[in-house]
Amino acid sequence: RRPDGAGYAGHPGAGGAGSAVNEFLVAAGLATRVVNLGLPDRFIEHGDHRTQLARCGLDAAGIRRAILRHVAAGTPAERETA
């Protein structure tokens, strides 16, 4: 199984583009699983862009891990029946 969608925004996750997409999906009545990824709302140590993304889990490997964790967790209904 795979998530139906994964989103990344190059800014803090709360209140950003990902939140708008989530609100749209709910308002449209679309039951879909989404992985929301974004920069944490905290100070990030200085460094080159790649290093900063890796520290936040937003490099390719970190995004993959987040999606796989999400898939492994299943949907709430799947967890209740498992």
Short mmCIF file of all heavy atoms in Angstrom, two decimals:
data_model
loop_
_atom_site.label_atom_id
_atom_site.label_comp_id
_atom_site.label_asym_id
_atom_site.label_seq_id
_atom_site.Cartn_x
_atom_site.Cartn_y
_atom_site.Cartn_z
N ARG A 1 0.84 -1.19 0.00
CA ARG A 1 0.00 0.00 0.00
C ARG A 1 0.87 1.24 0.00
O ARG A 1 1.99 1.22 0.47
CB ARG A 1 -0.88 -0.02 1.24
CG ARG A 1 -1.88 -1.15 1.20
CD ARG A 1 -2.95 -0.92 2.20
NE ARG A 1 -3.50 0.41 2.01
CZ ARG A 1 -4.61 0.80 2.54
NH1 ARG A 1 -5.29 0.01 3.31
NH2 ARG A 1 -5.07 2.01 2.35
N ARG A 2 0.32 2.31 -0.45
CA ARG A 2 1.03 3.58 -0.47
C ARG A 2 0.06 4.68 -0.07
O ARG A 2 -1.14 4.53 -0.22
CB ARG A 2 1.62 3.86 -1.84
CG ARG A 2 0.58 3.91 -2.93
CD ARG A 2 1.21 4.24 -4.28
NE ARG A 2 0.29 4.08 -5.36
CZ ARG A 2 -0.75 4.87 -5.62
NH1 ARG A 2 -1.00 5.88 -4.84
NH2 ARG A 2 -1.54 4.64 -6.63
N PRO A 3 0.59 5.78 0.46
CA PRO A 3 -0.32 6.88 0.78
C PRO A 3 -0.90 7.44 -0.51
O PRO A 3 -0.30 7.35 -1.57
CB PRO A 3 0.57 7.89 1.49
CG PRO A 3 1.95 7.57 1.04
CD PRO A 3 1.97 6.09 0.74
N ASP A 4 -2.07 8.01 -0.40
CA ASP A 4 -2.70 8.61 -1.56
C ASP A 4 -2.02 9.91 -1.96
O ASP A 4 -2.11 10.33 -3.09
CB ASP A 4 -4.18 8.88 -1.28
CG ASP A 4 -4.93 7.57 -1.08
OD1 ASP A 4 -4.70 6.63 -1.83
OD2 ASP A 4 -5.74 7.53 -0.13
N GLY A 5 -1.34 10.56 -1.02
CA GLY A 5 -0.69 11.81 -1.35
C GLY A 5 0.38 12.14 -0.34
O GLY A 5 0.30 11.74 0.81
N ALA A 6 1.39 12.81 -0.78
CA ALA A 6 2.44 13.30 0.10
C ALA A 6 2.74 14.72 -0.34
O ALA A 6 2.84 14.99 -1.54
CB ALA A 6 3.69 12.44 0.01
N GLY A 7 2.84 15.63 0.61
CA GLY A 7 3.09 17.01 0.25
C GLY A 7 4.28 17.57 1.03
O GLY A 7 4.52 17.19 2.15
N TYR A 8 5.00 18.43 0.41
CA TYR A 8 6.12 19.10 1.06
C TYR A 8 6.02 20.58 0.76
O TYR A 8 5.77 20.98 -0.37
CB TYR A 8 7.46 18.57 0.53
CG TYR A 8 8.61 19.49 0.89
CD1 TYR A 8 9.09 19.54 2.19
CD2 TYR A 8 9.17 20.32 -0.05
CE1 TYR A 8 10.11 20.40 2.53
CE2 TYR A 8 10.20 21.19 0.28
CZ TYR A 8 10.67 21.22 1.57
OH TYR A 8 11.67 22.07 1.92
N ALA A 9 6.20 21.37 1.80
CA ALA A 9 6.23 22.83 1.63
C ALA A 9 7.53 23.33 2.24
O ALA A 9 7.93 22.87 3.30
CB ALA A 9 5.04 23.47 2.33
N GLY A 10 8.20 24.21 1.59
CA GLY A 10 9.48 24.72 2.05
C GLY A 10 9.34 25.79 3.12
O GLY A 10 10.05 26.78 3.12
N HIS A 11 8.41 25.59 4.02
CA HIS A 11 8.17 26.52 5.12
C HIS A 11 7.51 25.73 6.24
O HIS A 11 7.19 24.55 6.06
CB HIS A 11 7.27 27.69 4.66
CG HIS A 11 6.02 27.24 3.98
ND1 HIS A 11 4.93 26.75 4.66
CD2 HIS A 11 5.72 27.15 2.67
CE1 HIS A 11 4.00 26.41 3.81
NE2 HIS A 11 4.45 26.63 2.59
N PRO A 12 7.29 26.33 7.42
CA PRO A 12 6.65 25.58 8.50
C PRO A 12 5.33 24.96 8.03
O PRO A 12 4.58 25.56 7.27
CB PRO A 12 6.40 26.63 9.58
CG PRO A 12 7.46 27.65 9.34
CD PRO A 12 7.64 27.67 7.83
N GLY A 13 5.09 23.72 8.48
CA GLY A 13 3.93 22.97 8.03
C GLY A 13 2.59 23.54 8.48
O GLY A 13 1.63 23.53 7.72
N ALA A 14 2.49 24.03 9.69
CA ALA A 14 1.20 24.50 10.21
C ALA A 14 0.77 25.78 9.51
O ALA A 14 1.54 26.73 9.41
CB ALA A 14 1.29 24.73 11.71
N GLY A 15 -0.45 25.80 9.01
CA GLY A 15 -1.00 27.00 8.40
C GLY A 15 -0.50 27.29 7.01
O GLY A 15 -0.79 28.34 6.44
N GLY A 16 0.21 26.36 6.41
CA GLY A 16 0.76 26.59 5.07
C GLY A 16 -0.07 25.96 3.98
O GLY A 16 -1.27 25.68 4.14
N ALA A 17 0.59 25.72 2.87
CA ALA A 17 -0.09 25.14 1.71
C ALA A 17 -0.66 23.77 2.02
O ALA A 17 -1.76 23.43 1.57
CB ALA A 17 0.88 25.07 0.53
N GLY A 18 0.06 22.97 2.80
CA GLY A 18 -0.42 21.63 3.16
C GLY A 18 -1.71 21.70 3.94
O GLY A 18 -2.63 20.89 3.73
N SER A 19 -1.83 22.67 4.83
CA SER A 19 -3.06 22.84 5.60
C SER A 19 -4.22 23.18 4.68
O SER A 19 -5.33 22.68 4.86
CB SER A 19 -2.89 23.94 6.65
OG SER A 19 -1.92 23.57 7.60
N ALA A 20 -3.96 24.01 3.69
CA ALA A 20 -5.01 24.38 2.74
C ALA A 20 -5.46 23.16 1.94
O ALA A 20 -6.65 22.97 1.70
CB ALA A 20 -4.52 25.48 1.81
N VAL A 21 -4.52 22.32 1.53
CA VAL A 21 -4.87 21.10 0.80
C VAL A 21 -5.70 20.19 1.69
O VAL A 21 -6.72 19.65 1.25
CB VAL A 21 -3.61 20.38 0.29
CG1 VAL A 21 -3.96 19.00 -0.27
CG2 VAL A 21 -2.90 21.22 -0.76
N ASN A 22 -5.30 20.01 2.95
CA ASN A 22 -6.06 19.17 3.88
C ASN A 22 -7.48 19.69 4.05
O ASN A 22 -8.43 18.91 4.04
CB ASN A 22 -5.37 19.10 5.24
CG ASN A 22 -4.07 18.35 5.19
OD1 ASN A 22 -3.81 17.60 4.27
ND2 ASN A 22 -3.24 18.56 6.20
N GLU A 23 -7.62 20.99 4.22
CA GLU A 23 -8.95 21.59 4.39
C GLU A 23 -9.81 21.36 3.14
O GLU A 23 -10.99 21.04 3.25
CB GLU A 23 -8.83 23.08 4.68
CG GLU A 23 -8.26 23.38 6.04
CD GLU A 23 -7.99 24.85 6.26
OE1 GLU A 23 -8.56 25.69 5.52
OE2 GLU A 23 -7.20 25.18 7.16
N PHE A 24 -9.20 21.48 1.97
CA PHE A 24 -9.93 21.24 0.73
C PHE A 24 -10.41 19.80 0.66
O PHE A 24 -11.57 19.53 0.31
CB PHE A 24 -9.06 21.56 -0.49
CG PHE A 24 -9.68 21.09 -1.77
CD1 PHE A 24 -10.67 21.84 -2.39
CD2 PHE A 24 -9.28 19.90 -2.35
CE1 PHE A 24 -11.25 21.40 -3.57
CE2 PHE A 24 -9.86 19.45 -3.53
CZ PHE A 24 -10.84 20.21 -4.13
N LEU A 25 -9.54 18.85 0.98
CA LEU A 25 -9.91 17.43 0.92
C LEU A 25 -11.07 17.12 1.86
O LEU A 25 -12.00 16.41 1.48
CB LEU A 25 -8.69 16.56 1.25
CG LEU A 25 -7.54 16.60 0.24
CD1 LEU A 25 -6.33 15.85 0.78
CD2 LEU A 25 -7.98 16.03 -1.11
N VAL A 26 -11.01 17.66 3.07
CA VAL A 26 -12.10 17.44 4.04
C VAL A 26 -13.39 18.07 3.53
O VAL A 26 -14.45 17.44 3.55
CB VAL A 26 -11.72 17.99 5.43
CG1 VAL A 26 -12.91 17.99 6.37
CG2 VAL A 26 -10.58 17.18 6.02
N ALA A 27 -13.32 19.31 3.07
CA ALA A 27 -14.51 20.01 2.59
C ALA A 27 -15.13 19.29 1.38
O ALA A 27 -16.35 19.28 1.22
CB ALA A 27 -14.17 21.46 2.22
N ALA A 28 -14.28 18.68 0.56
CA ALA A 28 -14.77 17.97 -0.62
C ALA A 28 -15.26 16.57 -0.28
O ALA A 28 -15.77 15.87 -1.16
CB ALA A 28 -13.67 17.91 -1.67
N GLY A 29 -15.10 16.16 0.98
CA GLY A 29 -15.54 14.83 1.39
C GLY A 29 -14.68 13.72 0.86
O GLY A 29 -15.13 12.58 0.73
N LEU A 30 -13.44 14.03 0.54
CA LEU A 30 -12.52 13.02 0.00
C LEU A 30 -11.78 12.33 1.14
O LEU A 30 -11.01 12.97 1.85
CB LEU A 30 -11.53 13.67 -0.97
CG LEU A 30 -12.16 14.35 -2.18
CD1 LEU A 30 -11.09 15.10 -2.97
CD2 LEU A 30 -12.86 13.32 -3.05
N ALA A 31 -12.03 11.06 1.30
CA ALA A 31 -11.35 10.28 2.33
C ALA A 31 -10.04 9.78 1.74
O ALA A 31 -10.01 8.79 1.01
CB ALA A 31 -12.22 9.12 2.78
N THR A 32 -8.98 10.46 2.01
CA THR A 32 -7.68 10.10 1.47
C THR A 32 -6.62 10.23 2.56
O THR A 32 -6.78 11.00 3.49
CB THR A 32 -7.32 10.97 0.24
OG1 THR A 32 -6.12 10.49 -0.34
CG2 THR A 32 -7.16 12.42 0.62
N ARG A 33 -5.58 9.46 2.44
CA ARG A 33 -4.49 9.54 3.40
C ARG A 33 -3.43 10.49 2.84
O ARG A 33 -3.07 10.40 1.69
CB ARG A 33 -3.89 8.16 3.63
CG ARG A 33 -4.90 7.22 4.21
CD ARG A 33 -4.44 5.81 4.46
NE ARG A 33 -3.24 5.40 3.80
CZ ARG A 33 -2.41 4.49 4.28
NH1 ARG A 33 -2.66 3.91 5.43
NH2 ARG A 33 -1.34 4.13 3.63
N VAL A 34 -2.98 11.38 3.69
CA VAL A 34 -2.01 12.39 3.26
C VAL A 34 -0.87 12.43 4.26
O VAL A 34 -1.08 12.37 5.47
CB VAL A 34 -2.67 13.79 3.17
CG1 VAL A 34 -1.65 14.84 2.80
CG2 VAL A 34 -3.81 13.77 2.18
N VAL A 35 0.34 12.52 3.76
CA VAL A 35 1.52 12.73 4.60
C VAL A 35 1.88 14.20 4.47
O VAL A 35 2.18 14.69 3.38
CB VAL A 35 2.72 11.88 4.14
CG1 VAL A 35 3.92 12.13 5.00
CG2 VAL A 35 2.36 10.40 4.14
N ASN A 36 1.81 14.94 5.57
CA ASN A 36 2.17 16.36 5.55
C ASN A 36 3.61 16.51 6.03
O ASN A 36 3.96 16.08 7.12
CB ASN A 36 1.24 17.15 6.48
CG ASN A 36 -0.15 17.21 5.93
OD1 ASN A 36 -0.35 17.67 4.82
ND2 ASN A 36 -1.11 16.72 6.68
N LEU A 37 4.41 17.13 5.21
CA LEU A 37 5.81 17.36 5.54
C LEU A 37 6.11 18.84 5.37
O LEU A 37 5.66 19.47 4.42
CB LEU A 37 6.72 16.54 4.61
CG LEU A 37 6.46 15.04 4.58
CD1 LEU A 37 7.29 14.39 3.48
CD2 LEU A 37 6.77 14.41 5.92
N GLY A 38 6.88 19.38 6.28
CA GLY A 38 7.27 20.79 6.18
C GLY A 38 8.35 21.09 7.20
O GLY A 38 8.64 20.27 8.08
N LEU A 39 8.93 22.24 7.08
CA LEU A 39 9.97 22.64 8.02
C LEU A 39 9.38 22.80 9.41
O LEU A 39 8.25 23.29 9.56
CB LEU A 39 10.60 23.95 7.58
CG LEU A 39 11.41 23.89 6.28
CD1 LEU A 39 11.79 25.28 5.83
CD2 LEU A 39 12.65 23.03 6.47
N PRO A 40 10.11 22.39 10.44
CA PRO A 40 9.61 22.57 11.81
C PRO A 40 9.57 24.05 12.17
O PRO A 40 10.32 24.86 11.61
CB PRO A 40 10.63 21.82 12.66
CG PRO A 40 11.88 21.81 11.85
CD PRO A 40 11.44 21.79 10.41
N ASP A 41 8.70 24.40 13.08
CA ASP A 41 8.57 25.79 13.52
C ASP A 41 9.54 26.05 14.65
O ASP A 41 9.16 26.24 15.81
CB ASP A 41 7.12 26.06 13.95
CG ASP A 41 6.84 27.54 14.13
OD1 ASP A 41 7.66 28.35 13.66
OD2 ASP A 41 5.80 27.87 14.73
N ARG A 42 10.81 25.99 14.33
CA ARG A 42 11.89 26.20 15.30
C ARG A 42 13.14 26.66 14.55
O ARG A 42 13.20 26.57 13.33
CB ARG A 42 12.18 24.93 16.10
CG ARG A 42 12.68 23.79 15.24
CD ARG A 42 13.12 22.60 16.07
NE ARG A 42 13.36 21.42 15.27
CZ ARG A 42 14.44 21.20 14.52
NH1 ARG A 42 15.40 22.10 14.44
NH2 ARG A 42 14.57 20.09 13.83
N PHE A 43 14.12 27.12 15.31
CA PHE A 43 15.37 27.56 14.70
C PHE A 43 16.09 26.36 14.10
O PHE A 43 16.17 25.30 14.71
CB PHE A 43 16.27 28.23 15.75
CG PHE A 43 17.59 28.66 15.20
CD1 PHE A 43 17.69 29.82 14.45
CD2 PHE A 43 18.73 27.90 15.42
CE1 PHE A 43 18.91 30.22 13.92
CE2 PHE A 43 19.95 28.31 14.91
CZ PHE A 43 20.04 29.47 14.16
N ILE A 44 16.61 26.52 12.91
CA ILE A 44 17.39 25.48 12.25
C ILE A 44 18.81 25.99 12.14
O ILE A 44 19.05 27.10 11.66
CB ILE A 44 16.83 25.16 10.85
CG1 ILE A 44 15.38 24.68 10.97
CG2 ILE A 44 17.68 24.11 10.14
CD1 ILE A 44 14.66 24.57 9.65
N GLU A 45 19.76 25.18 12.59
CA GLU A 45 21.17 25.57 12.55
C GLU A 45 21.57 25.98 11.14
O GLU A 45 21.08 25.44 10.16
CB GLU A 45 22.05 24.40 13.00
CG GLU A 45 21.91 24.04 14.46
CD GLU A 45 22.43 25.13 15.39
OE1 GLU A 45 23.41 25.83 15.03
OE2 GLU A 45 21.84 25.29 16.47
N HIS A 46 22.48 26.94 11.06
CA HIS A 46 22.98 27.40 9.77
C HIS A 46 23.72 26.28 9.07
O HIS A 46 24.30 25.41 9.69
CB HIS A 46 23.92 28.60 9.96
CG HIS A 46 23.20 29.81 10.43
ND1 HIS A 46 22.45 30.60 9.58
CD2 HIS A 46 23.08 30.36 11.65
CE1 HIS A 46 21.93 31.59 10.28
NE2 HIS A 46 22.29 31.46 11.54
N GLY A 47 23.69 26.31 7.77
CA GLY A 47 24.37 25.31 6.95
C GLY A 47 23.86 25.41 5.54
O GLY A 47 22.97 26.21 5.23
N ASP A 48 24.42 24.60 4.67
CA ASP A 48 23.94 24.62 3.30
C ASP A 48 22.54 24.01 3.25
O ASP A 48 22.11 23.32 4.17
CB ASP A 48 24.92 23.92 2.35
CG ASP A 48 25.05 22.44 2.65
OD1 ASP A 48 24.13 21.68 2.26
OD2 ASP A 48 26.04 22.05 3.28
N HIS A 49 21.84 24.28 2.19
CA HIS A 49 20.43 23.89 2.05
C HIS A 49 20.24 22.38 2.23
O HIS A 49 19.33 21.94 2.94
CB HIS A 49 19.90 24.36 0.70
CG HIS A 49 18.43 24.20 0.54
ND1 HIS A 49 17.52 24.90 1.29
CD2 HIS A 49 17.71 23.41 -0.28
CE1 HIS A 49 16.30 24.56 0.95
NE2 HIS A 49 16.38 23.66 -0.02
N ARG A 50 21.08 21.58 1.60
CA ARG A 50 20.95 20.12 1.71
C ARG A 50 21.11 19.64 3.14
O ARG A 50 20.36 18.77 3.59
CB ARG A 50 21.99 19.42 0.83
CG ARG A 50 21.66 19.46 -0.62
CD ARG A 50 22.68 18.69 -1.42
NE ARG A 50 22.37 18.81 -2.82
CZ ARG A 50 22.65 17.90 -3.70
NH1 ARG A 50 23.29 16.81 -3.34
NH2 ARG A 50 22.33 18.07 -4.97
N THR A 51 22.07 20.19 3.85
CA THR A 51 22.30 19.79 5.24
C THR A 51 21.11 20.17 6.10
O THR A 51 20.66 19.40 6.95
CB THR A 51 23.59 20.45 5.78
OG1 THR A 51 24.69 20.03 4.96
CG2 THR A 51 23.86 20.06 7.23
N GLN A 52 20.58 21.37 5.90
CA GLN A 52 19.41 21.80 6.68
C GLN A 52 18.21 20.90 6.42
O GLN A 52 17.51 20.51 7.35
CB GLN A 52 19.06 23.25 6.36
CG GLN A 52 20.07 24.23 6.90
CD GLN A 52 19.73 25.65 6.52
OE1 GLN A 52 19.29 25.93 5.41
NE2 GLN A 52 19.92 26.56 7.46
N LEU A 53 17.96 20.55 5.17
CA LEU A 53 16.85 19.67 4.86
C LEU A 53 17.05 18.29 5.51
O LEU A 53 16.11 17.72 6.07
CB LEU A 53 16.67 19.52 3.35
CG LEU A 53 16.14 20.74 2.62
CD1 LEU A 53 16.09 20.49 1.11
CD2 LEU A 53 14.77 21.15 3.14
N ALA A 54 18.26 17.77 5.46
CA ALA A 54 18.55 16.47 6.06
C ALA A 54 18.32 16.51 7.57
O ALA A 54 17.75 15.57 8.14
CB ALA A 54 19.98 16.04 5.74
N ARG A 55 18.74 17.58 8.22
CA ARG A 55 18.55 17.71 9.67
C ARG A 55 17.07 17.70 10.05
O ARG A 55 16.70 17.29 11.14
CB ARG A 55 19.18 19.00 10.18
CG ARG A 55 20.68 18.97 10.22
CD ARG A 55 21.23 20.28 10.73
NE ARG A 55 22.67 20.25 10.74
CZ ARG A 55 23.44 21.31 10.67
NH1 ARG A 55 22.89 22.52 10.60
NH2 ARG A 55 24.74 21.19 10.67
N CYS A 56 16.23 18.15 9.14
CA CYS A 56 14.79 18.21 9.39
C CYS A 56 14.05 16.99 8.86
O CYS A 56 12.82 16.92 8.94
CB CYS A 56 14.21 19.47 8.75
SG CYS A 56 14.85 20.99 9.44
N GLY A 57 14.79 16.04 8.29
CA GLY A 57 14.15 14.87 7.71
C GLY A 57 13.45 15.15 6.40
O GLY A 57 12.54 14.44 6.01
N LEU A 58 13.90 16.20 5.71
CA LEU A 58 13.24 16.60 4.47
C LEU A 58 14.10 16.39 3.24
O LEU A 58 13.83 16.94 2.18
CB LEU A 58 12.77 18.05 4.56
CG LEU A 58 11.69 18.29 5.61
CD1 LEU A 58 11.40 19.77 5.76
CD2 LEU A 58 10.42 17.52 5.27
N ASP A 59 15.14 15.58 3.38
CA ASP A 59 15.88 15.16 2.20
C ASP A 59 15.18 13.92 1.65
O ASP A 59 14.17 13.48 2.19
CB ASP A 59 17.35 14.87 2.55
CG ASP A 59 17.49 13.80 3.62
OD1 ASP A 59 16.50 13.48 4.32
OD2 ASP A 59 18.61 13.28 3.79
N ALA A 60 15.65 13.38 0.54
CA ALA A 60 14.97 12.24 -0.09
C ALA A 60 14.82 11.06 0.88
O ALA A 60 13.74 10.47 0.99
CB ALA A 60 15.73 11.80 -1.34
N ALA A 61 15.87 10.75 1.63
CA ALA A 61 15.80 9.62 2.56
C ALA A 61 14.80 9.88 3.69
O ALA A 61 14.05 8.99 4.09
CB ALA A 61 17.19 9.33 3.14
N GLY A 62 14.76 11.10 4.20
CA GLY A 62 13.84 11.45 5.27
C GLY A 62 12.39 11.43 4.82
O GLY A 62 11.50 10.98 5.54
N ILE A 63 12.15 11.92 3.62
CA ILE A 63 10.79 11.91 3.07
C ILE A 63 10.34 10.46 2.87
O ILE A 63 9.21 10.10 3.22
CB ILE A 63 10.73 12.72 1.76
CG1 ILE A 63 10.93 14.20 2.08
CG2 ILE A 63 9.42 12.47 1.03
CD1 ILE A 63 11.14 15.07 0.86
N ARG A 64 11.23 9.64 2.35
CA ARG A 64 10.90 8.22 2.16
C ARG A 64 10.55 7.57 3.49
O ARG A 64 9.56 6.84 3.60
CB ARG A 64 12.07 7.51 1.49
CG ARG A 64 11.81 6.04 1.22
CD ARG A 64 13.00 5.42 0.47
NE ARG A 64 12.70 4.08 0.03
CZ ARG A 64 12.86 2.99 0.79
NH1 ARG A 64 13.31 3.10 2.02
NH2 ARG A 64 12.55 1.80 0.32
N ARG A 65 11.37 7.83 4.53
CA ARG A 65 11.10 7.26 5.87
C ARG A 65 9.73 7.70 6.39
O ARG A 65 8.97 6.91 6.93
CB ARG A 65 12.19 7.67 6.87
CG ARG A 65 13.44 6.84 6.80
CD ARG A 65 14.37 7.12 7.98
NE ARG A 65 14.70 8.53 8.14
CZ ARG A 65 15.71 9.14 7.52
NH1 ARG A 65 16.49 8.46 6.70
NH2 ARG A 65 15.95 10.42 7.72
N ALA A 66 9.42 8.97 6.22
CA ALA A 66 8.14 9.50 6.71
C ALA A 66 6.96 8.81 6.00
O ALA A 66 5.97 8.44 6.64
CB ALA A 66 8.07 11.01 6.50
N ILE A 67 7.08 8.64 4.71
CA ILE A 67 6.00 7.98 3.96
C ILE A 67 5.88 6.52 4.38
O ILE A 67 4.77 6.03 4.61
CB ILE A 67 6.23 8.12 2.44
CG1 ILE A 67 6.07 9.58 2.03
CG2 ILE A 67 5.28 7.21 1.65
CD1 ILE A 67 6.50 9.88 0.61
N LEU A 68 6.99 5.82 4.52
CA LEU A 68 6.94 4.42 4.93
C LEU A 68 6.37 4.26 6.33
O LEU A 68 5.61 3.33 6.60
CB LEU A 68 8.33 3.78 4.82
CG LEU A 68 8.85 3.62 3.39
CD1 LEU A 68 10.29 3.09 3.41
CD2 LEU A 68 7.95 2.71 2.58
N ARG A 69 6.70 5.19 7.25
CA ARG A 69 6.11 5.16 8.61
C ARG A 69 4.61 5.34 8.53
O ARG A 69 3.85 4.66 9.21
CB ARG A 69 6.72 6.26 9.49
CG ARG A 69 7.94 5.87 10.25
CD ARG A 69 8.26 6.87 11.36
NE ARG A 69 8.23 8.26 10.94
CZ ARG A 69 9.28 8.94 10.48
NH1 ARG A 69 10.45 8.37 10.40
NH2 ARG A 69 9.15 10.20 10.12
N HIS A 70 4.18 6.27 7.69
CA HIS A 70 2.76 6.55 7.53
C HIS A 70 2.03 5.32 6.98
O HIS A 70 0.96 4.95 7.46
CB HIS A 70 2.59 7.74 6.59
CG HIS A 70 1.18 8.17 6.40
ND1 HIS A 70 0.50 8.90 7.34
CD2 HIS A 70 0.33 7.98 5.37
CE1 HIS A 70 -0.73 9.14 6.90
NE2 HIS A 70 -0.85 8.60 5.71
N VAL A 71 2.62 4.68 5.98
CA VAL A 71 2.01 3.50 5.39
C VAL A 71 1.96 2.37 6.42
O VAL A 71 0.94 1.69 6.55
CB VAL A 71 2.79 3.07 4.13
CG1 VAL A 71 2.32 1.70 3.64
CG2 VAL A 71 2.63 4.11 3.03
N ALA A 72 3.03 2.18 7.17
CA ALA A 72 3.08 1.11 8.17
C ALA A 72 2.04 1.31 9.26
O ALA A 72 1.50 0.35 9.80
CB ALA A 72 4.48 1.03 8.78
N ALA A 73 1.75 2.58 9.58
CA ALA A 73 0.77 2.87 10.63
C ALA A 73 -0.64 2.54 10.17
O ALA A 73 -1.51 2.26 10.99
CB ALA A 73 0.86 4.34 11.04
N GLY A 74 -0.90 2.55 8.88
CA GLY A 74 -2.23 2.27 8.36
C GLY A 74 -3.20 3.39 8.66
O GLY A 74 -2.85 4.41 9.25
N THR A 75 -4.42 3.20 8.23
CA THR A 75 -5.46 4.19 8.51
C THR A 75 -6.05 3.90 9.88
O THR A 75 -5.90 2.78 10.40
CB THR A 75 -6.58 4.10 7.45
OG1 THR A 75 -7.19 2.82 7.56
CG2 THR A 75 -6.06 4.33 6.06
N PRO A 76 -6.73 4.84 10.51
CA PRO A 76 -7.34 4.57 11.81
C PRO A 76 -8.24 3.33 11.78
O PRO A 76 -8.21 2.52 12.69
CB PRO A 76 -8.14 5.84 12.11
CG PRO A 76 -7.42 6.90 11.36
CD PRO A 76 -6.91 6.22 10.10
N ALA A 77 -9.01 3.15 10.72
CA ALA A 77 -9.90 1.97 10.64
C ALA A 77 -9.09 0.70 10.58
O ALA A 77 -9.44 -0.31 11.20
CB ALA A 77 -10.79 2.09 9.40
N GLU A 78 -7.97 0.71 9.86
CA GLU A 78 -7.13 -0.48 9.78
C GLU A 78 -6.51 -0.80 11.14
O GLU A 78 -6.41 -1.94 11.53
CB GLU A 78 -6.02 -0.28 8.75
CG GLU A 78 -6.51 -0.27 7.32
CD GLU A 78 -5.45 0.14 6.34
OE1 GLU A 78 -4.43 0.73 6.75
OE2 GLU A 78 -5.64 -0.09 5.13
N ARG A 79 -6.12 0.23 11.89
CA ARG A 79 -5.52 -0.02 13.21
C ARG A 79 -6.55 -0.60 14.16
O ARG A 79 -6.23 -1.45 14.98
CB ARG A 79 -4.95 1.29 13.78
CG ARG A 79 -3.67 1.71 13.09
CD ARG A 79 -2.98 2.81 13.88
NE ARG A 79 -3.77 4.02 13.94
CZ ARG A 79 -3.67 5.04 13.10
NH1 ARG A 79 -2.83 4.98 12.10
NH2 ARG A 79 -4.41 6.11 13.25
N GLU A 80 -7.81 -0.16 14.05
CA GLU A 80 -8.86 -0.64 14.95
C GLU A 80 -9.19 -2.10 14.68
O GLU A 80 -9.52 -2.84 15.58
CB GLU A 80 -10.12 0.21 14.81
CG GLU A 80 -9.94 1.62 15.36
CD GLU A 80 -11.10 2.52 15.02
OE1 GLU A 80 -12.13 2.01 14.52
OE2 GLU A 80 -10.99 3.73 15.27
N THR A 81 -9.10 -2.55 13.43
CA THR A 81 -9.46 -3.92 13.09
C THR A 81 -8.28 -4.87 13.18
O THR A 81 -8.47 -6.06 13.16
CB THR A 81 -10.07 -3.99 11.67
OG1 THR A 81 -9.11 -3.52 10.73
CG2 THR A 81 -11.36 -3.19 11.58
N ALA A 82 -7.08 -4.34 13.27
CA ALA A 82 -5.88 -5.20 13.29
C ALA A 82 -5.71 -5.85 14.65
O ALA A 82 -6.22 -5.46 15.65
CB ALA A 82 -4.66 -4.39 12.93
#
